[in-house]
Amino acid sequence: MLELNRIQAKSWKFIILNTFFLLVLHLQTINAEQCLKTEDIVRSIRGRWTYKCVNQKCHKTLYKGEQGSQQISLNVCKLKCGDPPGALWPLPNGHVSIHDRIIPINPNNINIESVSANNKDIDWKVGKLFLELRKSFLTRIVSEATTRDARAEGNGLIIRLQVHDTISGRPTLDMDESYHLHVDTVDNKIVANIEAQSYFGSRHGLETLSQLVAYDDVSNSLVMPAKLEIRDRPVYKYRGLVLDTARNFIPIEDIRRTIDAMATVKLNIFHWHITDSHSFPMESKTFPNLTIYGAYGPDKIYTQKEIRDLVEFAAWKGVKIIPEFDAPAHTGEGWQWAPPGTLICLNDQPWYDHCVEPPCGQLNPVNENVYKILSGIQTDMHEMFDLSDVFHMGGDEVQFKCWNSSKEVVEFIESKGWNQSDSKSMFRIWDIFQSRAYSSLQQVTNKSPQAILWTSTLTEREDVTEFLDTNKYIVQIWTTGTDAQIKDLAKKGYRMIFSNYDALYLDCGFGGWVSGGNNWCSPYKPWQTIYSNDMVQLVKQVTGSEYKPEMTQLIYGAAAALWTEQVDEQSLDGRVWPRLAALAERLWTNPSTPWQDAEFRMLAQRERLVRMNIEAEALEPEWCRQHEGDCPDLRSLNRN
């Protein structure tokens, strides 16, 4: 019996040791598997999913590896899926045909040549633009391939840029931006022909082509459609951004980055609100004291060389820089050195009795020193920007009570026999200023440029045509899109640029800075509101039964505005992008479809901006980008 117990004890000991050994071995196996999964996690995720085109949208789907099935990446799906395919932004405004055969390209075998379509020599200045364009395109493609460590294999790509106008190398308000892009594949060579009237159409065509070159993370290569054709041109001539750099200084490299991003969505106007009552950061060679007294600091000025270089950079990006010298109001810092009486109400307190925000300041329209200095500012600007085509003269928020506080102005009114308490006397004085300011512009440029003015109490007058010639002046609307003034301007035949704050002010929806609560133009303007800002419908709505089709021809375009009371270079990208891209499609294409139809392409465009190192704000969870069309609330569309 005792011997039996010893045998049983040994058996149990063996069983326990064996079980322990097997348990340790099992745990080691589990750990080994876990380590393997960790090391292989990227490949496992990529191999788990594919994308399918469902109702013209790409959807993330489990990849089962069934015989005959092919794994498709999101980028490749986008090239093949959609109506039209390609997730292009802005959507082309013409014929689009994109073949669903996608082929690899070799990033090290791309050749770009620019030729005249009519056998004329290309002017060296235009040739220089093409050279910069070529370098930019190749750098972008090679950078994409290098960053992704893509294979340097595939078809060669030949790009031929054919231009008819071989002379015009400066962007203007009336430049031809149309293009015809045709791609075909012959003998393992992809041949892309871009034909355009001007250089600027050529660069737009190349921009479209670049959006159709994508990285495929399944094949680890750059790919593009083997065949396509696109005919495209913008609906509106004026497609821009207003950037204020006087409230807060924005470094030149950040402005340059902004213009670079604008070019990717075919925006063509950078309206530079470069001075205001807060600061005068522009270097003036004619009157250096403007900069010495007006800059926030020695490191916060725009030198004339920096400005000229920026204008050149913007030109080959297809962007015209329009500077604004806002006057007679919105002047202050920088003018302290001027003879007494030149400036009125400088930093008067309390500010709200004299202007709309601190610091106050307004030019004296009856003081001769004003026009001497003004001519100098225009001369400086003309040498840097070339004002012979167009110049923004500001003209908003003029305060009559400020002028009435000047003894010199009051004495002038009395000398004319006008009534000081009659507002028409103030408008007469305003007319004197505006007429002399425009005459000065003519003398400086030796031409009669188009002048842009903001809407104001002057432009809303019934007799505004007595003050502002419709052939010379373009009116930029900053009030609401339903302002009755739009009707009056349209009936009088004024060309209009829309910057209506209820849709296009990018600084709205944040905290107040001169008061508590939210800022004056709240709420925030999301991209959907910007995208839906159909100016033709606004004109039809405000004119009602008096609407005439020719009124829509007066719509020159639009510009979103970023006033920088609460913005500097740290927050610039997020305030502007990707919302500005929504305006780009509204102005290039003027779509008749709602924002919900564009949402999945907008998400793709935001990703393009991020790859350019633009810190564009996120719009939705990334899940929405991988399940196109599943996120927008469609109930408001009432579709059957």
Side-chain angles (χ1 to χ4, degrees), residues 78 87-90 207 211 261-262 264-266 577-578 581-582 584 598-612 616 619 625:
K78 285 179 179 295
L88 295 171
W89 197 284
E207 198 68 57
Q211 292 189 8
M262 289 173 62
T264 67
V265 290
K266 303 183 177 72
W577 302 106
E599 174 259 0
F600 73 99
R601 289 186 299 107
M602 182 60 161
L603 297 182
Q605 179 56 33
R606 190 259 175 184
E607 292 303 308
R608 292 187 185 111
L609 291 166
V610 170
R611 290 201 300 274
M612 289 180 60
L619 296 175
R625 192 168 70 89

PDB file of all heavy atoms in Angstrom, residues 78 87-90 207 211 261-262 264-266 577-578 581-582 584 598-612 616 619 625:
ATOM      1  N   LYS A  78      -9.787  56.002 -56.191  1.00  0.00           N
ATOM      2  CA  LYS A  78     -10.206  57.372 -56.504  1.00  0.00           C
ATOM      3  C   LYS A  78      -9.930  57.722 -57.969  1.00  0.00           C
ATOM      4  O   LYS A  78     -10.680  58.482 -58.587  1.00  0.00           O
ATOM      5  CB  LYS A  78      -9.491  58.366 -55.587  1.00  0.00           C
ATOM      6  CG  LYS A  78     -10.024  58.387 -54.155  1.00  0.00           C
ATOM      7  CD  LYS A  78      -9.243  59.375 -53.311  1.00  0.00           C
ATOM      8  CE  LYS A  78      -9.777  59.432 -51.893  1.00  0.00           C
ATOM      9  NZ  LYS A  78     -11.147  59.965 -51.832  1.00  0.00           N
ATOM     10  N   ALA A  87     -11.208  62.426 -58.226  1.00  0.00           N
ATOM     11  CA  ALA A  87     -11.322  63.304 -57.059  1.00  0.00           C
ATOM     12  C   ALA A  87     -10.659  64.653 -57.318  1.00  0.00           C
ATOM     13  O   ALA A  87      -9.988  65.221 -56.461  1.00  0.00           O
ATOM     14  CB  ALA A  87     -10.732  62.643 -55.810  1.00  0.00           C
ATOM     15  N   LEU A  88     -10.831  65.187 -58.536  1.00  0.00           N
ATOM     16  CA  LEU A  88     -10.204  66.451 -58.918  1.00  0.00           C
ATOM     17  C   LEU A  88     -10.800  67.622 -58.147  1.00  0.00           C
ATOM     18  O   LEU A  88     -11.987  67.642 -57.825  1.00  0.00           O
ATOM     19  CB  LEU A  88     -10.369  66.688 -60.415  1.00  0.00           C
ATOM     20  CG  LEU A  88      -9.654  65.688 -61.333  1.00  0.00           C
ATOM     21  CD1 LEU A  88     -10.076  65.894 -62.774  1.00  0.00           C
ATOM     22  CD2 LEU A  88      -8.140  65.821 -61.195  1.00  0.00           C
ATOM     23  N   TRP A  89      -9.938  68.612 -57.858  1.00  0.00           N
ATOM     24  CA  TRP A  89     -10.397  69.832 -57.173  1.00  0.00           C
ATOM     25  C   TRP A  89      -9.577  71.010 -57.692  1.00  0.00           C
ATOM     26  O   TRP A  89      -8.366  70.988 -57.587  1.00  0.00           O
ATOM     27  CB  TRP A  89     -10.226  69.691 -55.659  1.00  0.00           C
ATOM     28  CG  TRP A  89     -11.029  70.716 -54.931  1.00  0.00           C
ATOM     29  CD1 TRP A  89     -10.727  72.042 -54.788  1.00  0.00           C
ATOM     30  CD2 TRP A  89     -12.288  70.520 -54.297  1.00  0.00           C
ATOM     31  NE1 TRP A  89     -11.716  72.677 -54.089  1.00  0.00           N
ATOM     32  CE2 TRP A  89     -12.694  71.769 -53.774  1.00  0.00           C
ATOM     33  CE3 TRP A  89     -13.119  69.418 -54.115  1.00  0.00           C
ATOM     34  CZ2 TRP A  89     -13.888  71.941 -53.080  1.00  0.00           C
ATOM     35  CZ3 TRP A  89     -14.305  69.588 -53.418  1.00  0.00           C
ATOM     36  CH2 TRP A  89     -14.678  70.830 -52.907  1.00  0.00           C
ATOM     37  N   PRO A  90     -10.249  72.038 -58.221  1.00  0.00           N
ATOM     38  CA  PRO A  90     -11.683  72.128 -58.453  1.00  0.00           C
ATOM     39  C   PRO A  90     -12.126  71.232 -59.609  1.00  0.00           C
ATOM     40  O   PRO A  90     -11.317  70.904 -60.485  1.00  0.00           O
ATOM     41  CB  PRO A  90     -11.886  73.606 -58.792  1.00  0.00           C
ATOM     42  CG  PRO A  90     -10.586  74.031 -59.389  1.00  0.00           C
ATOM     43  CD  PRO A  90      -9.537  73.274 -58.640  1.00  0.00           C
ATOM     44  N   GLU A 207      -1.324  71.384 -63.279  1.00  0.00           N
ATOM     45  CA  GLU A 207      -1.839  71.201 -61.914  1.00  0.00           C
ATOM     46  C   GLU A 207      -2.876  70.081 -61.886  1.00  0.00           C
ATOM     47  O   GLU A 207      -2.876  69.227 -60.989  1.00  0.00           O
ATOM     48  CB  GLU A 207      -2.466  72.504 -61.416  1.00  0.00           C
ATOM     49  CG  GLU A 207      -2.636  72.584 -59.915  1.00  0.00           C
ATOM     50  CD  GLU A 207      -1.312  72.669 -59.180  1.00  0.00           C
ATOM     51  OE1 GLU A 207      -0.523  73.573 -59.437  1.00  0.00           O
ATOM     52  OE2 GLU A 207      -1.084  71.772 -58.337  1.00  0.00           O
ATOM     53  N   GLN A 211      -2.692  66.095 -60.017  1.00  0.00           N
ATOM     54  CA  GLN A 211      -3.679  65.463 -59.137  1.00  0.00           C
ATOM     55  C   GLN A 211      -4.032  64.056 -59.599  1.00  0.00           C
ATOM     56  O   GLN A 211      -4.591  63.268 -58.821  1.00  0.00           O
ATOM     57  CB  GLN A 211      -4.951  66.325 -59.075  1.00  0.00           C
ATOM     58  CG  GLN A 211      -4.769  67.647 -58.365  1.00  0.00           C
ATOM     59  CD  GLN A 211      -6.082  68.366 -58.120  1.00  0.00           C
ATOM     60  OE1 GLN A 211      -7.170  67.827 -58.351  1.00  0.00           O
ATOM     61  NE2 GLN A 211      -6.002  69.598 -57.632  1.00  0.00           N
ATOM     62  N   ALA A 261      -0.142  77.229 -52.036  1.00  0.00           N
ATOM     63  CA  ALA A 261      -1.339  76.404 -51.846  1.00  0.00           C
ATOM     64  C   ALA A 261      -2.499  76.917 -52.701  1.00  0.00           C
ATOM     65  O   ALA A 261      -3.285  76.127 -53.239  1.00  0.00           O
ATOM     66  CB  ALA A 261      -1.725  76.373 -50.375  1.00  0.00           C
ATOM     67  N   MET A 262      -2.621  78.238 -52.841  1.00  0.00           N
ATOM     68  CA  MET A 262      -3.672  78.813 -53.685  1.00  0.00           C
ATOM     69  C   MET A 262      -3.555  78.303 -55.114  1.00  0.00           C
ATOM     70  O   MET A 262      -4.556  77.993 -55.770  1.00  0.00           O
ATOM     71  CB  MET A 262      -3.581  80.339 -53.666  1.00  0.00           C
ATOM     72  CG  MET A 262      -3.995  80.992 -52.362  1.00  0.00           C
ATOM     73  SD  MET A 262      -3.656  82.778 -52.346  1.00  0.00           S
ATOM     74  CE  MET A 262      -4.703  83.351 -53.703  1.00  0.00           C
ATOM     75  N   THR A 264      -2.515  75.506 -56.185  1.00  0.00           N
ATOM     76  CA  THR A 264      -2.916  74.109 -56.366  1.00  0.00           C
ATOM     77  C   THR A 264      -4.415  73.967 -56.604  1.00  0.00           C
ATOM     78  O   THR A 264      -4.858  72.949 -57.132  1.00  0.00           O
ATOM     79  CB  THR A 264      -2.521  73.242 -55.149  1.00  0.00           C
ATOM     80  OG1 THR A 264      -3.283  73.651 -53.999  1.00  0.00           O
ATOM     81  CG2 THR A 264      -1.041  73.364 -54.847  1.00  0.00           C
ATOM     82  N   VAL A 265      -5.202  74.972 -56.197  1.00  0.00           N
ATOM     83  CA  VAL A 265      -6.655  74.927 -56.426  1.00  0.00           C
ATOM     84  C   VAL A 265      -7.083  75.997 -57.431  1.00  0.00           C
ATOM     85  O   VAL A 265      -8.241  76.369 -57.521  1.00  0.00           O
ATOM     86  CB  VAL A 265      -7.436  75.057 -55.107  1.00  0.00           C
ATOM     87  CG1 VAL A 265      -7.274  73.810 -54.264  1.00  0.00           C
ATOM     88  CG2 VAL A 265      -7.013  76.303 -54.318  1.00  0.00           C
ATOM     89  N   LYS A 266      -6.074  76.521 -58.178  1.00  0.00           N
ATOM     90  CA  LYS A 266      -6.328  77.423 -59.309  1.00  0.00           C
ATOM     91  C   LYS A 266      -6.929  78.766 -58.901  1.00  0.00           C
ATOM     92  O   LYS A 266      -7.654  79.387 -59.687  1.00  0.00           O
ATOM     93  CB  LYS A 266      -7.185  76.731 -60.378  1.00  0.00           C
ATOM     94  CG  LYS A 266      -6.589  75.432 -60.918  1.00  0.00           C
ATOM     95  CD  LYS A 266      -7.453  74.844 -62.021  1.00  0.00           C
ATOM     96  CE  LYS A 266      -6.818  73.591 -62.617  1.00  0.00           C
ATOM     97  NZ  LYS A 266      -6.858  72.441 -61.740  1.00  0.00           N
ATOM     98  N   TRP A 577      -7.158  77.196 -44.552  1.00  0.00           N
ATOM     99  CA  TRP A 577      -7.302  75.897 -45.227  1.00  0.00           C
ATOM    100  C   TRP A 577      -7.955  74.862 -44.323  1.00  0.00           C
ATOM    101  O   TRP A 577      -7.719  74.872 -43.140  1.00  0.00           O
ATOM    102  CB  TRP A 577      -5.929  75.383 -45.676  1.00  0.00           C
ATOM    103  CG  TRP A 577      -5.227  76.323 -46.592  1.00  0.00           C
ATOM    104  CD1 TRP A 577      -4.161  77.124 -46.285  1.00  0.00           C
ATOM    105  CD2 TRP A 577      -5.539  76.595 -47.965  1.00  0.00           C
ATOM    106  NE1 TRP A 577      -3.796  77.858 -47.377  1.00  0.00           N
ATOM    107  CE2 TRP A 577      -4.617  77.560 -48.430  1.00  0.00           C
ATOM    108  CE3 TRP A 577      -6.516  76.106 -48.852  1.00  0.00           C
ATOM    109  CZ2 TRP A 577      -4.645  78.053 -49.727  1.00  0.00           C
ATOM    110  CZ3 TRP A 577      -6.530  76.599 -50.145  1.00  0.00           C
ATOM    111  CH2 TRP A 577      -5.607  77.560 -50.575  1.00  0.00           C
ATOM    112  N   PRO A 578      -8.758  73.974 -44.899  1.00  0.00           N
ATOM    113  CA  PRO A 578      -9.041  73.830 -46.328  1.00  0.00           C
ATOM    114  C   PRO A 578     -10.235  74.645 -46.820  1.00  0.00           C
ATOM    115  O   PRO A 578     -10.680  74.457 -47.953  1.00  0.00           O
ATOM    116  CB  PRO A 578      -9.333  72.337 -46.465  1.00  0.00           C
ATOM    117  CG  PRO A 578     -10.016  71.993 -45.172  1.00  0.00           C
ATOM    118  CD  PRO A 578      -9.334  72.851 -44.113  1.00  0.00           C
ATOM    119  N   ALA A 581     -10.272  76.281 -50.249  1.00  0.00           N
ATOM    120  CA  ALA A 581     -10.444  75.380 -51.393  1.00  0.00           C
ATOM    121  C   ALA A 581     -11.913  75.281 -51.805  1.00  0.00           C
ATOM    122  O   ALA A 581     -12.224  75.083 -52.988  1.00  0.00           O
ATOM    123  CB  ALA A 581      -9.897  73.992 -51.062  1.00  0.00           C
ATOM    124  N   ALA A 582     -12.831  75.416 -50.839  1.00  0.00           N
ATOM    125  CA  ALA A 582     -14.260  75.389 -51.164  1.00  0.00           C
ATOM    126  C   ALA A 582     -14.621  76.560 -52.070  1.00  0.00           C
ATOM    127  O   ALA A 582     -15.399  76.413 -53.027  1.00  0.00           O
ATOM    128  CB  ALA A 582     -15.082  75.428 -49.878  1.00  0.00           C
ATOM    129  N   ALA A 584     -12.555  78.019 -54.072  1.00  0.00           N
ATOM    130  CA  ALA A 584     -11.901  77.786 -55.361  1.00  0.00           C
ATOM    131  C   ALA A 584     -12.819  77.042 -56.324  1.00  0.00           C
ATOM    132  O   ALA A 584     -12.914  77.391 -57.508  1.00  0.00           O
ATOM    133  CB  ALA A 584     -10.602  77.010 -55.152  1.00  0.00           C
ATOM    134  N   ALA A 598     -19.892  67.123 -53.060  1.00  0.00           N
ATOM    135  CA  ALA A 598     -18.456  67.436 -53.162  1.00  0.00           C
ATOM    136  C   ALA A 598     -17.672  67.003 -51.934  1.00  0.00           C
ATOM    137  O   ALA A 598     -16.439  67.049 -51.942  1.00  0.00           O
ATOM    138  CB  ALA A 598     -18.278  68.942 -53.369  1.00  0.00           C
ATOM    139  N   GLU A 599     -18.353  66.556 -50.894  1.00  0.00           N
ATOM    140  CA  GLU A 599     -17.708  66.304 -49.592  1.00  0.00           C
ATOM    141  C   GLU A 599     -16.544  65.330 -49.676  1.00  0.00           C
ATOM    142  O   GLU A 599     -15.458  65.573 -49.122  1.00  0.00           O
ATOM    143  CB  GLU A 599     -18.765  65.799 -48.600  1.00  0.00           C
ATOM    144  CG  GLU A 599     -18.239  65.357 -47.263  1.00  0.00           C
ATOM    145  CD  GLU A 599     -18.123  63.836 -47.157  1.00  0.00           C
ATOM    146  OE1 GLU A 599     -18.473  63.150 -48.151  1.00  0.00           O
ATOM    147  OE2 GLU A 599     -17.666  63.355 -46.113  1.00  0.00           O
ATOM    148  N   PHE A 600     -16.695  64.224 -50.390  1.00  0.00           N
ATOM    149  CA  PHE A 600     -15.628  63.221 -50.426  1.00  0.00           C
ATOM    150  C   PHE A 600     -14.419  63.739 -51.193  1.00  0.00           C
ATOM    151  O   PHE A 600     -13.275  63.410 -50.858  1.00  0.00           O
ATOM    152  CB  PHE A 600     -16.142  61.901 -51.022  1.00  0.00           C
ATOM    153  CG  PHE A 600     -16.374  61.914 -52.509  1.00  0.00           C
ATOM    154  CD1 PHE A 600     -15.432  61.402 -53.382  1.00  0.00           C
ATOM    155  CD2 PHE A 600     -17.545  62.444 -53.042  1.00  0.00           C
ATOM    156  CE1 PHE A 600     -15.636  61.403 -54.747  1.00  0.00           C
ATOM    157  CE2 PHE A 600     -17.760  62.456 -54.405  1.00  0.00           C
ATOM    158  CZ  PHE A 600     -16.801  61.942 -55.264  1.00  0.00           C
ATOM    159  N   ARG A 601     -14.643  64.585 -52.198  1.00  0.00           N
ATOM    160  CA  ARG A 601     -13.511  65.185 -52.914  1.00  0.00           C
ATOM    161  C   ARG A 601     -12.827  66.253 -52.065  1.00  0.00           C
ATOM    162  O   ARG A 601     -11.605  66.448 -52.151  1.00  0.00           O
ATOM    163  CB  ARG A 601     -13.969  65.779 -54.242  1.00  0.00           C
ATOM    164  CG  ARG A 601     -14.340  64.753 -55.291  1.00  0.00           C
ATOM    165  CD  ARG A 601     -14.648  65.383 -56.643  1.00  0.00           C
ATOM    166  NE  ARG A 601     -15.774  66.295 -56.592  1.00  0.00           N
ATOM    167  CZ  ARG A 601     -15.681  67.622 -56.651  1.00  0.00           C
ATOM    168  NH1 ARG A 601     -14.495  68.205 -56.783  1.00  0.00           N
ATOM    169  NH2 ARG A 601     -16.762  68.380 -56.581  1.00  0.00           N
ATOM    170  N   MET A 602     -13.614  66.941 -51.245  1.00  0.00           N
ATOM    171  CA  MET A 602     -13.040  67.953 -50.356  1.00  0.00           C
ATOM    172  C   MET A 602     -12.087  67.300 -49.351  1.00  0.00           C
ATOM    173  O   MET A 602     -11.017  67.845 -49.043  1.00  0.00           O
ATOM    174  CB  MET A 602     -14.159  68.692 -49.623  1.00  0.00           C
ATOM    175  CG  MET A 602     -13.682  69.796 -48.694  1.00  0.00           C
ATOM    176  SD  MET A 602     -12.769  71.086 -49.558  1.00  0.00           S
ATOM    177  CE  MET A 602     -12.868  72.422 -48.385  1.00  0.00           C
ATOM    178  N   LEU A 603     -12.460  66.135 -48.854  1.00  0.00           N
ATOM    179  CA  LEU A 603     -11.590  65.418 -47.924  1.00  0.00           C
ATOM    180  C   LEU A 603     -10.286  65.014 -48.612  1.00  0.00           C
ATOM    181  O   LEU A 603      -9.207  65.064 -48.005  1.00  0.00           O
ATOM    182  CB  LEU A 603     -12.303  64.185 -47.371  1.00  0.00           C
ATOM    183  CG  LEU A 603     -13.574  64.448 -46.543  1.00  0.00           C
ATOM    184  CD1 LEU A 603     -14.138  63.127 -46.022  1.00  0.00           C
ATOM    185  CD2 LEU A 603     -13.311  65.404 -45.396  1.00  0.00           C
ATOM    186  N   ALA A 604     -10.385  64.616 -49.876  1.00  0.00           N
ATOM    187  CA  ALA A 604      -9.177  64.251 -50.633  1.00  0.00           C
ATOM    188  C   ALA A 604      -8.293  65.472 -50.854  1.00  0.00           C
ATOM    189  O   ALA A 604      -7.056  65.386 -50.772  1.00  0.00           O
ATOM    190  CB  ALA A 604      -9.573  63.631 -51.974  1.00  0.00           C
ATOM    191  N   GLN A 605      -8.907  66.626 -51.123  1.00  0.00           N
ATOM    192  CA  GLN A 605      -8.129  67.840 -51.340  1.00  0.00           C
ATOM    193  C   GLN A 605      -7.441  68.284 -50.053  1.00  0.00           C
ATOM    194  O   GLN A 605      -6.299  68.759 -50.081  1.00  0.00           O
ATOM    195  CB  GLN A 605      -9.025  68.970 -51.866  1.00  0.00           C
ATOM    196  CG  GLN A 605      -8.311  70.287 -52.091  1.00  0.00           C
ATOM    197  CD  GLN A 605      -7.125  70.168 -53.033  1.00  0.00           C
ATOM    198  OE1 GLN A 605      -7.141  69.351 -53.964  1.00  0.00           O
ATOM    199  NE2 GLN A 605      -6.098  70.965 -52.815  1.00  0.00           N
ATOM    200  N   ARG A 606      -8.092  68.102 -48.941  1.00  0.00           N
ATOM    201  CA  ARG A 606      -7.456  68.439 -47.667  1.00  0.00           C
ATOM    202  C   ARG A 606      -6.192  67.606 -47.463  1.00  0.00           C
ATOM    203  O   ARG A 606      -5.171  68.102 -46.983  1.00  0.00           O
ATOM    204  CB  ARG A 606      -8.449  68.216 -46.520  1.00  0.00           C
ATOM    205  CG  ARG A 606      -7.981  68.746 -45.180  1.00  0.00           C
ATOM    206  CD  ARG A 606      -7.435  67.627 -44.306  1.00  0.00           C
ATOM    207  NE  ARG A 606      -6.869  68.126 -43.063  1.00  0.00           N
ATOM    208  CZ  ARG A 606      -6.266  67.366 -42.168  1.00  0.00           C
ATOM    209  NH1 ARG A 606      -6.175  66.053 -42.362  1.00  0.00           N
ATOM    210  NH2 ARG A 606      -5.754  67.878 -41.080  1.00  0.00           N
ATOM    211  N   GLU A 607      -6.243  66.328 -47.863  1.00  0.00           N
ATOM    212  CA  GLU A 607      -5.064  65.471 -47.747  1.00  0.00           C
ATOM    213  C   GLU A 607      -3.938  65.954 -48.659  1.00  0.00           C
ATOM    214  O   GLU A 607      -2.766  65.893 -48.304  1.00  0.00           O
ATOM    215  CB  GLU A 607      -5.433  64.021 -48.086  1.00  0.00           C
ATOM    216  CG  GLU A 607      -6.347  63.365 -47.073  1.00  0.00           C
ATOM    217  CD  GLU A 607      -5.757  63.380 -45.673  1.00  0.00           C
ATOM    218  OE1 GLU A 607      -4.604  62.935 -45.521  1.00  0.00           O
ATOM    219  OE2 GLU A 607      -6.434  63.849 -44.741  1.00  0.00           O
ATOM    220  N   ARG A 608      -4.282  66.436 -49.857  1.00  0.00           N
ATOM    221  CA  ARG A 608      -3.250  66.985 -50.742  1.00  0.00           C
ATOM    222  C   ARG A 608      -2.547  68.171 -50.090  1.00  0.00           C
ATOM    223  O   ARG A 608      -1.334  68.323 -50.175  1.00  0.00           O
ATOM    224  CB  ARG A 608      -3.880  67.424 -52.069  1.00  0.00           C
ATOM    225  CG  ARG A 608      -4.403  66.296 -52.935  1.00  0.00           C
ATOM    226  CD  ARG A 608      -4.845  66.814 -54.295  1.00  0.00           C
ATOM    227  NE  ARG A 608      -5.465  65.760 -55.090  1.00  0.00           N
ATOM    228  CZ  ARG A 608      -6.754  65.717 -55.411  1.00  0.00           C
ATOM    229  NH1 ARG A 608      -7.557  66.692 -54.999  1.00  0.00           N
ATOM    230  NH2 ARG A 608      -7.235  64.726 -56.130  1.00  0.00           N
ATOM    231  N   LEU A 609      -3.327  69.030 -49.452  1.00  0.00           N
ATOM    232  CA  LEU A 609      -2.753  70.198 -48.779  1.00  0.00           C
ATOM    233  C   LEU A 609      -1.820  69.777 -47.645  1.00  0.00           C
ATOM    234  O   LEU A 609      -0.739  70.349 -47.465  1.00  0.00           O
ATOM    235  CB  LEU A 609      -3.878  71.088 -48.243  1.00  0.00           C
ATOM    236  CG  LEU A 609      -4.720  71.815 -49.298  1.00  0.00           C
ATOM    237  CD1 LEU A 609      -5.983  72.374 -48.671  1.00  0.00           C
ATOM    238  CD2 LEU A 609      -3.912  72.931 -49.964  1.00  0.00           C
ATOM    239  N   VAL A 610      -2.229  68.772 -46.900  1.00  0.00           N
ATOM    240  CA  VAL A 610      -1.404  68.291 -45.790  1.00  0.00           C
ATOM    241  C   VAL A 610      -0.079  67.748 -46.309  1.00  0.00           C
ATOM    242  O   VAL A 610       0.974  67.965 -45.703  1.00  0.00           O
ATOM    243  CB  VAL A 610      -2.170  67.233 -44.973  1.00  0.00           C
ATOM    244  CG1 VAL A 610      -1.253  66.547 -43.965  1.00  0.00           C
ATOM    245  CG2 VAL A 610      -3.359  67.872 -44.245  1.00  0.00           C
ATOM    246  N   ARG A 611      -0.115  67.058 -47.444  1.00  0.00           N
ATOM    247  CA  ARG A 611       1.127  66.528 -48.025  1.00  0.00           C
ATOM    248  C   ARG A 611       2.056  67.641 -48.494  1.00  0.00           C
ATOM    249  O   ARG A 611       3.252  67.438 -48.658  1.00  0.00           O
ATOM    250  CB  ARG A 611       0.819  65.571 -49.188  1.00  0.00           C
ATOM    251  CG  ARG A 611       0.200  64.244 -48.762  1.00  0.00           C
ATOM    252  CD  ARG A 611       0.380  63.169 -49.820  1.00  0.00           C
ATOM    253  NE  ARG A 611      -0.225  63.513 -51.082  1.00  0.00           N
ATOM    254  CZ  ARG A 611      -1.498  63.279 -51.388  1.00  0.00           C
ATOM    255  NH1 ARG A 611      -2.305  62.704 -50.499  1.00  0.00           N
ATOM    256  NH2 ARG A 611      -1.980  63.611 -52.571  1.00  0.00           N
ATOM    257  N   MET A 612       1.493  68.843 -48.685  1.00  0.00           N
ATOM    258  CA  MET A 612       2.309  70.015 -49.033  1.00  0.00           C
ATOM    259  C   MET A 612       2.841  70.726 -47.791  1.00  0.00           C
ATOM    260  O   MET A 612       3.398  71.805 -47.885  1.00  0.00           O
ATOM    261  CB  MET A 612       1.464  71.017 -49.830  1.00  0.00           C
ATOM    262  CG  MET A 612       1.097  70.626 -51.219  1.00  0.00           C
ATOM    263  SD  MET A 612       0.101  71.944 -51.976  1.00  0.00           S
ATOM    264  CE  MET A 612       1.246  73.335 -51.904  1.00  0.00           C
ATOM    265  N   ALA A 616      -3.635  72.284 -42.671  1.00  0.00           N
ATOM    266  CA  ALA A 616      -5.066  72.462 -42.885  1.00  0.00           C
ATOM    267  C   ALA A 616      -5.857  71.764 -41.786  1.00  0.00           C
ATOM    268  O   ALA A 616      -5.523  70.651 -41.368  1.00  0.00           O
ATOM    269  CB  ALA A 616      -5.461  71.900 -44.250  1.00  0.00           C
ATOM    270  N   LEU A 619     -11.523  68.094 -41.148  1.00  0.00           N
ATOM    271  CA  LEU A 619     -12.936  68.373 -41.365  1.00  0.00           C
ATOM    272  C   LEU A 619     -13.845  67.310 -40.769  1.00  0.00           C
ATOM    273  O   LEU A 619     -14.945  67.608 -40.308  1.00  0.00           O
ATOM    274  CB  LEU A 619     -13.223  68.485 -42.870  1.00  0.00           C
ATOM    275  CG  LEU A 619     -12.523  69.635 -43.601  1.00  0.00           C
ATOM    276  CD1 LEU A 619     -12.795  69.536 -45.090  1.00  0.00           C
ATOM    277  CD2 LEU A 619     -12.987  70.981 -43.062  1.00  0.00           C
ATOM    278  N   ARG A 625     -13.377  59.540 -44.910  1.00  0.00           N
ATOM    279  CA  ARG A 625     -12.571  59.532 -46.130  1.00  0.00           C
ATOM    280  C   ARG A 625     -12.461  58.125 -46.696  1.00  0.00           C
ATOM    281  O   ARG A 625     -12.323  57.938 -47.905  1.00  0.00           O
ATOM    282  CB  ARG A 625     -11.186  60.109 -45.837  1.00  0.00           C
ATOM    283  CG  ARG A 625     -10.368  60.415 -47.090  1.00  0.00           C
ATOM    284  CD  ARG A 625      -9.136  61.242 -46.755  1.00  0.00           C
ATOM    285  NE  ARG A 625      -8.144  60.482 -46.020  1.00  0.00           N
ATOM    286  CZ  ARG A 625      -7.172  59.772 -46.564  1.00  0.00           C
ATOM    287  NH1 ARG A 625      -7.069  59.691 -47.884  1.00  0.00           N
ATOM    288  NH2 ARG A 625      -6.285  59.128 -45.818  1.00  0.00           N
TER     289      ARG A 625
END
